[in-house]
Amino acid sequence: MTIKMVAVDMDGTFLNSQQDYDRKRFANIYQEMKEQGIRFVIASGNQYYQLKSFFPEIAKELSFVAENGAYVVSEEKEIFYGEIDPKTVVDVLTILEQFEDGHTILCGKNSAYVNEKEPAEFIQHGSKYYHRLKKVPDLLEIEEDIIFKFALSFPVQQVEIVLEQLHEALGDKLVPVSSGHGDIDLIISGIHKANGLMQLQELWGINAEELATFGDSGNDLEMLAHAGHSFAMGNAQPKVKEVAQKTISSNDEQGVLVTLEQLLQNN
């Protein structure tokens, strides 16, 4: 078995419930990965600027598949971005007005945006995942930015029903995917984490059999199905465990780090 590339989701996967990880243990693993020539990639629905903040010492040498694949940056160089057509942005915002219990963040290349009338609690929650988050009077009036995706939040118990309703309401405009904890992302069809990883694979000449991926939510399904070695967290959603080749211990049991140590020994 030869692994040349590892991609990890962050929330519920690499990060524990306190939104952190064993930094000393990972530093040793990362050093070993470098010595073996293995690329380490962060693949998350979150904003690039937020993801970088978790790796202050090494962010400049890492690769990020951010915004669920809509923004790919490697060693601070922009590799790829997807763009939602401005008319579609307007159409989708109009559709979302029908969903009374939902809250919306519009995710752009320069910043994320939230309506200033949203509850303060929601805005504060959003700022954890979007380090660049601007409050604006009206999401319909955002110009001068490239929009990647919509990040929606609903009561957890409504998510499955809302996903079905969004599929029906949106048609082929955008694809709704669950990203855990009551969050739903609306992404461009075909632009998901696996697509982002493929951009990097092409850049580095790495095939899917040499790729290991780790995830826990619906937005990880494509990259788990794509990789030669795929791991669902013990805390993962049932459908994620079905797609992944193996289920490992949970994010609070450092499942990713434990498994990486094993993989490095056998590589």
Side-chain angles (χ1 to χ4, degrees), residues 2-241:
T2 304
I3 289 173
K4 294 184 179 177
M5 180 175 170
V6 170
V8 300
D9 170 54
M10 289 294 278
D11 297 305
T13 300
F14 189 77
L15 299 177
N16 59 29
S17 298
Q18 284 70 50
Q19 294 293 108
D20 206 352
Y21 62 98
D22 186 332
R23 292 172 187 251
K24 187 176 179 184
R25 188 174 186 179
F26 174 69
N28 292 331
I29 290 168
Y30 180 65
Q31 190 56 41
E32 180 62 30
M33 289 173 74
K34 281 175 73 173
E35 287 172 16
Q36 292 193 26
I38 298 170
R39 302 274 188 169
F40 183 69
V41 182
I42 294 89
S44 169
N46 295 344
Q47 188 182 54
Y48 168 60
Y49 306 103
Q50 184 249 14
L51 297 173
K52 278 174 65 176
S53 72
F54 284 105
F55 305 93
E57 294 87 5
I58 57 171
K60 289 181 178 179
E61 57 192 64
L62 293 180
S63 300
F64 298 86
V65 173
E67 308 279 11
N68 277 331
Y71 194 38
V72 182
V73 179
S74 180
E75 297 172 20
E76 301 194 306
K77 294 189 185 77
E78 190 179 281
I79 304 299
F80 170 84
Y81 64 84
E83 180 178 6
I84 301 175
D85 175 80
K87 183 183 180 301
T88 301
V89 172
V90 173
D91 290 348
V92 172
L93 284 171
T94 306
I95 290 167
L96 290 175
E97 287 174 6
Q98 304 164 24
F99 292 82
E100 291 178 6
D101 293 330
H103 304 282
T104 301
I105 291 175
L106 205 52
C107 307
K109 189 174 174 187
N110 299 327
S111 179
Y113 305 90
V114 63
N115 191 304
E116 60 192 19
K117 298 184 187 74
E118 289 279 14
E121 188 183 345
F122 172 69
I123 296 173
Q124 188 178 358
H125 174 74
S127 65
K128 288 183 191 171
Y129 303 98
Y130 299 92
H131 281 196
R132 292 190 185 180
L133 182 63
K134 287 183 186 171
K135 290 187 275 189
V136 295
D138 189 348
L139 291 177
L140 286 166
E141 293 175 8
I142 292 163
E143 295 174 356
E144 308 298 318
D145 204 351
I146 290 161
I147 301 302
F148 294 145
K149 71 175 175 77
F150 289 72
L152 313 179
S153 183
F154 287 88
V156 174
Q157 65 273 18
Q158 291 185 24
V159 166
E160 290 305 317
I161 294 166
V162 169
L163 276 170
E164 288 179 27
Q165 292 172 337
L166 284 168
H167 268 292
E168 198 172 317
L170 294 168
D172 59 0
K173 292 185 196 306
L174 293 173
V175 180
V177 295
S178 161
S179 54
H181 315 294
D183 295 331
I184 295 173
D185 284 348
L186 305 183
I187 63 175
I188 304 163
S189 179
I191 296 182
H192 39 59
K193 291 183 184 183
N195 183 70
L197 294 178
M198 285 187 262
Q199 307 284 335
L200 294 171
Q201 286 173 243
E202 190 175 339
L203 187 68
W204 299 328
I206 293 173
N207 65 49
E209 285 303 310
E210 298 166 320
L211 169 64
T213 55
F214 296 79
D216 74 308
S217 294
N219 60 344
D220 299 315
L221 292 171
E222 290 88 357
M223 77 168 181
L224 292 169
H226 169 66
H229 311 273
S230 56
F231 302 91
M233 308 307 293
N235 52 286
Q237 297 169 2
K239 60 188 173 186
V240 176
K241 293 178 180 178

